Amino acid sequence: MSVTLSIAVPGDHIAISTNPATEPFWQAARERRLTACQCGSCGAFRMPPTPFCPKCQSKQLQWPTLPGTATIYSYVVCTRSPYPDVADFVYVPIVVDLDGAPGTRLVSNLVGVDPATVAIGQRVQVEWNPIQDGWLLPVFRLAD
Amino acid sequence: MVWEHRDKAAIVGVGATPYYPRGQSWPRTTNEMIGDAILAACDDAGIKVQQIDGFAYYASAMAGYVDKMDTASLMEMLGIPEVTFTATLTSGGGGSAGSMGLAAAALIAGDATYVVTVMALQQAKQRLGTVFGALAPDPENSFLQPSGLVGPGHLMSVLARRHMHLYGTRREAFAEIVMSSRQNTLNRPGAMRRTPLTLDEYFAAPMLADPLCRLDFCLETDGAVAVITTTSDRALDLKQKPVYIHGAVHGGRAQWGRAFAWMGMPDEYFASAGNKSIADRLWAKTGLSAADMDVALLYDHFSPLVLMQLEDYGFCARGEGGAFVESGAIRFDGGSIPVNPHGGQLSEAYIIGMTHIREAVEQLRGVAINQVPDAELALVTGGPASLPVSGLVLRK
Ligand SMILES: [Zn+2]
């Protein structure tokens, strides 16, 4: 019996928008660089990016390049298309703890996996899914 | 120290339209259904609609998530001459139970004499279950929506998975919550789902967002429910036995925050319903605990969140919600704490929390269809959603 592997949500159906606080994340993504919003004063990370550090209220920001690896914190298996004009497909939304940015998570997708084998705690590695308007969306694949 | 204003305000009238499957209330407009519910609530209370001088909404005064409620329009439509209080709790359905606290605040402060709280859903245009997918992505949900988590149920399945991982919670527990709710609508003419549900049927239902199947998702319903509150001294002169607002709280902690719209919660919040701090404050305010409740009307938009609320409010310990419900504890017939004897949002109808307030009032008046004998104290919850979440204790 063949196994249907999970795929990314079709990029031509995904749009994002940005504001001055979030744009650096997406600009980095465009360069295939995974980053997270870090306070320039106290070093605390936060995601999604916001104008103030909730720890020290500073507006100083830095955007370090993260290793691009992460750990699955939770996941869901979906087998229905969220779009009326796209046939059903298997996708696996995941919430991951990001390496190199303690305390931050990203909501993403796990691609190229047999959904029956996904488990919390698995190590994953970022890759990039082209979406509307030339942006790249971070998605993940099981790490080697 | 217990709250000095316990029992100083009371629910004196409840009114509702029939409940309709999603979209089928059309051509009745949102405002027409709101008007019918408010007039029915006034009639139930024995007051004239012109006596209403306060509006205490929740969910940012949105009717559902795409339509709005506007006090001036409702005054114009119903002939209400003047309002002295009109306010809302922020965000969404998390504030449903807390709206009774907003009403009580207005009444106790002397800012209004008869306050109405109302919610209506009319989904002819946009169904709530996929509302996020229909929104244009703003910079905040651009970090969420591209994952294909298209509705609240998909988001909450992420929390349910974590609870299963941490505590060994089984799908059988979610099934029991749905089956228990369904058992309570078999004798309920107005309910959307009234056929018995077996464990086999539950497991045969399609998975929408594994670990959640279609039956774990609440109904999508149209309709309106309105509640009238007044001060307890005025309440004594009205038609119905007052149901007292014994304590009501809303709010919540930053660690829960936007919750499943954020997913950054630390573990003890992530696999919860975000109501723990609400529960602590509610029990402190009333001097009561879970063990004192005769019936619990828990916001059941998704079955796993019922289990997590049972933990938050202390009906069982953290992580034991699964075993607790699987023991039969929440059954109307024979359970230690009957949960949602009206069938809740999973089996009766979903009007964003208002059916729970309505059922609590009927239980405490002693006129409920599935009446808990001698019910004197009822817990009603709102949420679990973005803050505020809320809790309410009503007393006979
Ligand atoms: Zn800082």
Side-chain angles (χ1 to χ4, degrees):
Chain A
M1 203 171 91
S2 71
V3 170
T4 306
L5 300 185
S6 67
I7 61 171
V9 175
D12 59 354
H13 281 68
I14 299 176
I16 57 148
S17 63
T18 67
N19 63 25
T22 68
E23 177 136 3
F25 176 89
W26 295 107
Q27 290 297 356
R30 226 176 192 144
E31 300 162 9
R32 298 174 185 266
R33 226 163 32 82
L34 186 65
T35 184
C37 181
Q38 184 180 26
C39 175
S41 296
C42 77
F45 283 92
R46 61 186 185 271
M47 282 296 289
T50 51
F52 292 88
C53 170
K55 297 253 171 27
C56 76
Q57 288 70 48
S58 167
K59 291 191 188 184
Q60 298 298 315
L61 293 174
Q62 49 202 34
W63 301 92
T65 299
L66 304 180
T69 47
T71 303
I72 297 178
Y73 181 79
S74 193
Y75 70 96
V76 184
V77 177
C78 300
T79 51
R80 305 198 163 210
S81 170
Y83 310 107
D85 62 332
V86 176
D88 283 344
F89 61 96
V90 177
Y91 64 103
V92 178
I94 51 175
V95 176
V96 297
D97 286 319
L98 293 175
D99 287 357
T104 63
R105 298 205 181 112
L106 206 58
V107 182
S108 182
N109 293 95
L110 185 63
V111 303
V113 70
D114 171 2
T117 65
V118 182
I120 287 172
Q122 281 175 331
R123 299 282 295 152
V124 295
Q125 169 75 46
V126 74
E127 58 182 53
W128 303 95
N129 181 26
I131 59 172
Q132 288 178 22
D133 304 319
W135 296 108
L136 292 177
L137 179 74
V139 296
F140 290 82
R141 193 177 288 274
L142 288 177
D144 299 329
Chain B
M1 206 170 79
V2 295
W3 187 39
E4 63 180 305
H5 296 302
R6 282 177 306 164
D7 303 335
K8 287 193 182 166
I11 297 174
V12 293
V14 178
T17 65
Y19 304 138
Y20 304 86
R22 167 173 57 84
Q24 292 186 22
S25 60
W26 191 256
R28 305 189 68 195
T29 63
T30 302
N31 271 5
E32 181 189 340
M33 290 199 291
I34 289 173
D36 278 337
I38 291 177
L39 290 171
C42 289
D43 186 50
D44 183 54
I47 66 167
K48 293 195 184 77
V49 71
Q50 292 87 344
Q51 289 175 270
I52 290 174
D53 55 9
F55 284 79
Y57 305 97
Y58 62 98
S60 309
M62 297 289 284
Y65 290 92
V66 289
D67 215 348
K68 70 179 167 61
M69 297 186 279
D70 179 68
T71 295
S73 296
L74 300 182
M75 292 169 73
E76 180 182 329
M77 176 176 78
L78 292 170
I80 295 169
E82 184 173 6
V83 291
T84 54
F85 184 90
T86 176
T88 183
L89 296 186
T90 51
S91 197
S96 56
S99 67
M100 294 296 100
L102 180 63
L107 293 161
I108 293 164
D111 283 334
T113 52
Y114 294 98
V115 176
V116 65
T117 297
V118 63
M119 179 51 74
L121 263 176
Q122 212 293 347
Q123 302 178 87
K125 282 174 288 190
Q126 171 60 44
R127 59 188 294 196
L128 203 54
T130 56
V131 66
F132 303 143
L135 296 173
D138 65 33
E140 205 168 72
N141 70 25
S142 288
F143 287 91
L144 184 66
Q145 197 172 306
S147 67
L149 294 169
V150 290
H154 288 70
L155 298 169
M156 269 167 267
S157 62
V158 184
L159 277 56
R161 173 84 63 194
R162 188 74 192 171
H163 198 280
M164 297 168 89
H165 170 77
L166 288 174
Y167 306 118
T169 311
R170 313 189 312 158
R171 285 190 65 210
E172 282 79 355
F174 308 155
E176 165 59 15
I177 290 162
V178 183
M179 291 190 298
S180 172
S181 91
R182 187 67 65 81
Q183 187 64 29
N184 295 342
T185 54
L186 301 184
N187 58 348
R188 203 164 182 89
M192 297 293 104
R193 287 182 183 152
R194 276 181 293 156
T195 50
L197 178 69
T198 67
L199 193 61
D200 285 346
E201 287 166 334
Y202 173 88
F203 277 103
M207 300 303 283
L208 293 190
D210 187 344
L212 299 195
C213 72
R214 178 180 283 153
L215 293 169
D216 294 308
F217 284 55
C218 76
L219 297 155
E220 294 183 288
T221 326
D222 288 2
V225 179
V227 168
I228 310 271
T229 44
T230 191
T231 54
S232 294
D233 50 347
R234 283 191 195 90
L236 295 174
D237 300 327
L238 298 179
K239 211 160 107 185
Q240 307 286 353
K241 274 192 300 188
V243 169
Y244 295 102
I245 297 171
H246 198 60
V249 300
H250 76 267
R253 296 197 52 89
Q255 291 95 328
W256 177 259
R258 291 189 296 119
F260 29 82
W262 171 49
M263 299 291 186
M265 307 85 91
D267 237 1
E268 67 270 32
Y269 292 88
F270 198 99
S272 88
N275 273 246
K276 176 66 167 67
S277 66
I278 295 298
D280 291 346
R281 204 144 46 87
L282 186 62
W283 299 143
K285 211 166 170 179
T286 57
L288 299 169
S289 74
D292 296 306
M293 297 299 110
D294 297 306
V295 58
L297 294 311
L298 303 183
Y299 197 100
D300 55 338
H301 45 3
F302 301 97
S303 60
L305 277 293
V306 172
L307 183 157
M308 298 185 213
Q309 286 176 84
L310 289 163
E311 297 176 0
D312 283 356
Y313 282 89
F315 290 98
C316 59
R318 177 69 68 211
E320 291 176 9
F324 183 74
V325 301
E326 286 192 61
S327 76
I330 65 170
R331 289 273 173 165
F332 167 66
D333 189 8
S336 55
I337 178 66
V339 170
N340 299 344
H342 59 320
Q345 301 176 146
L346 290 166
S347 292
E348 189 206 32
Y350 172 63
I351 312 291
I352 315 189
M354 288 301 283
T355 62
H356 291 66
I357 300 177
R358 180 188 189 189
E359 173 69 7
V361 169
E362 291 181 4
Q363 288 287 343
L364 298 176
R365 285 180 183 174
V367 300
I369 291 177
N370 291 320
Q371 180 65 46
V372 174
D374 308 315
E376 288 185 8
L377 288 163
L379 172 69
V380 187
T381 66
S386 282
L387 298 181
V389 292
S390 61
L392 166 71
V393 172
L394 295 174
R395 189 179 75 80
K396 185 155 102 174

